[in-house]
Amino acid sequence: MSQSETCGGAEQILGVNILQSRKYHNSNKLHSTKESPQPIEEKVGAFTKIIEAMGFTGPLKYSKWKIKIAALRMYTSCVEKTDFEEFFLRCQMPDTFNSWFLITLLHVWMCLVRMKQEGRSGKYMCRIIVHFMWEDVEQRGRVMGVNSYILKKNMILMTNNFYAAILGYDEGILSDDHGLAAALWRTFFNQKCEDPRQLELLVEYVRKQMQYLDSMDGEDLLLTGEVRWRPLVEKNPQSILTPRAPTYNDEGL
């Protein structure tokens, strides 16, 4: 990896092309993230406010060690419970380190959106998830034999891309499907998606996944970090929608 090349909204890392060993429906039928529960407002004392204003974390609802363990599990679910092969196939992405990072970033972002709803403990967990992500990215680069100087340089580029992607995704999820599709096109597809069906598929995936995460108990997420991901393509699309009313044929008449 001798250099990096800017490609759309993300950095394409050259020299790291090592392999990492429909039916559509209208996503308007899914609950919009705008309808998600609002973040929990916690009452904190003056001392805690002073501590946190100085950049430290004050007392939390649960032990910080428990939250750190849960954060590690949640990040692990992003890289071990995601079907990367299906994303490569359905979205026509090359099986490279950069593609792996873009897919992981998307799932980490969805976890961050969900955990920010859990007050100060959730926000603390978000910071730990991001910390584990960068540790993993750096470790994978070292395993691939990337020069330490080049790795550090590219880590800086990837960090900048990460925060730009988070901002874009946040704006997209609060918008309609067109806004979300635009954010995914810029970041996930590097402005190179020519098949609108791929964008439709990914918009649907993000909407249904956010709805699914919102349905999970916040206390359990803070203590266990266990997250299950819905498949990119549902075998039974009706399972994520409102139950279908019986029809004439269903009644056997």
Side-chain angles (χ1 to χ4, degrees):
M1 181 168 54
S2 60
Q3 58 181 324
S4 64
E5 176 186 59
T6 302
C7 182
E11 295 287 340
Q12 284 280 10
I13 303 176
L14 299 182
V16 189
N17 290 328
I18 301 174
L19 297 182
Q20 294 289 318
S21 336
R22 149 137 159 126
K23 179 178 179 181
Y24 301 97
H25 68 263
N26 186 353
S27 60
N28 289 332
K29 296 179 182 179
L30 303 177
H31 294 295
S32 170
T33 306
K34 297 177 182 178
E35 302 172 4
S36 300
Q38 295 299 315
I40 299 174
E41 296 294 336
E42 298 182 37
K43 294 182 179 180
V44 296
F47 179 70
T48 299
K49 291 181 179 179
I50 294 175
I51 291 178
E52 296 189 344
M54 297 173 62
F56 299 97
T57 301
L60 301 174
K61 185 176 182 180
Y62 300 108
S63 165
K64 292 181 182 179
W65 282 109
K66 289 183 178 180
I67 296 177
K68 287 182 178 180
I69 293 173
L72 177 59
R73 288 175 179 168
M74 184 168 289
Y75 172 72
T76 301
S77 73
C78 294
V79 295
E80 292 188 355
K81 296 184 179 180
T82 300
D83 191 344
F84 288 90
E85 294 296 332
E86 186 174 23
F87 275 89
F88 294 153
L89 176 64
R90 301 277 184 178
C91 300
Q92 297 181 356
M93 304 174 73
D95 189 354
T96 63
F97 181 81
N98 188 65
S99 296
W100 171 87
F101 179 71
L102 291 174
I103 297 170
T104 300
L105 187 157
L106 179 65
H107 289 80
V108 167
W109 164 72
M110 287 191 283
C111 288
L112 300 182
V113 172
R114 176 62 184 89
M115 297 316 301
K116 285 178 182 178
Q117 299 175 20
E118 300 304 319
R120 293 170 55 254
S121 296
K123 292 178 180 178
Y124 176 74
M125 187 171 179
C126 288
R127 295 200 298 271
I128 304 302
I129 291 173
V130 173
H131 170 76
F132 284 130
M133 182 192 72
W134 290 124
E135 278 195 343
D136 186 34
V137 169
E138 184 175 6
Q139 180 63 27
R140 288 173 186 265
R142 295 186 186 280
V143 169
M144 290 179 179
V146 179
N147 177 275
S148 59
Y149 173 77
I150 300 298
L151 178 60
K152 182 178 180 180
K153 182 178 179 180
N154 280 280
M155 287 286 290
I156 295 174
L157 294 174
M158 295 172 73
T159 301
N160 293 336
N161 290 332
F162 171 77
Y163 289 108
I166 293 297
L167 179 60
Y169 285 154
D170 282 347
E171 292 178 349
I173 198 66
L174 294 174
S175 180
D176 57 15
D177 284 357
H178 293 88
L180 179 56
L184 292 167
W185 178 76
R186 288 192 303 268
T187 301
F188 190 87
F189 289 104
N190 294 330
Q191 301 183 13
K192 289 185 177 181
C193 180
E194 298 179 357
D195 188 348
R197 293 175 299 176
Q198 294 177 6
L199 273 175
E200 180 185 5
L201 177 64
L202 210 55
V203 168
E204 174 190 334
Y205 176 76
V206 171
R207 292 290 189 196
K208 72 183 179 184
Q209 193 62 62
M210 293 306 304
Q211 177 188 353
Y212 187 57
L213 290 174
D214 284 341
S215 70
M216 301 178 72
D217 184 72
E219 302 289 321
D220 290 341
L221 291 175
L222 280 171
L223 293 175
T224 68
E226 295 291 340
V227 173
R228 297 177 302 277
W229 302 104
R230 302 196 70 89
L232 182 59
V233 177
E234 295 283 345
K235 294 181 179 180
N236 180 19
Q238 288 290 343
S239 63
I240 61 172
L241 302 176
T242 304
R244 183 172 58 90
T247 64
Y248 184 83
N249 292 329
D250 291 336
E251 297 173 359
L253 299 177

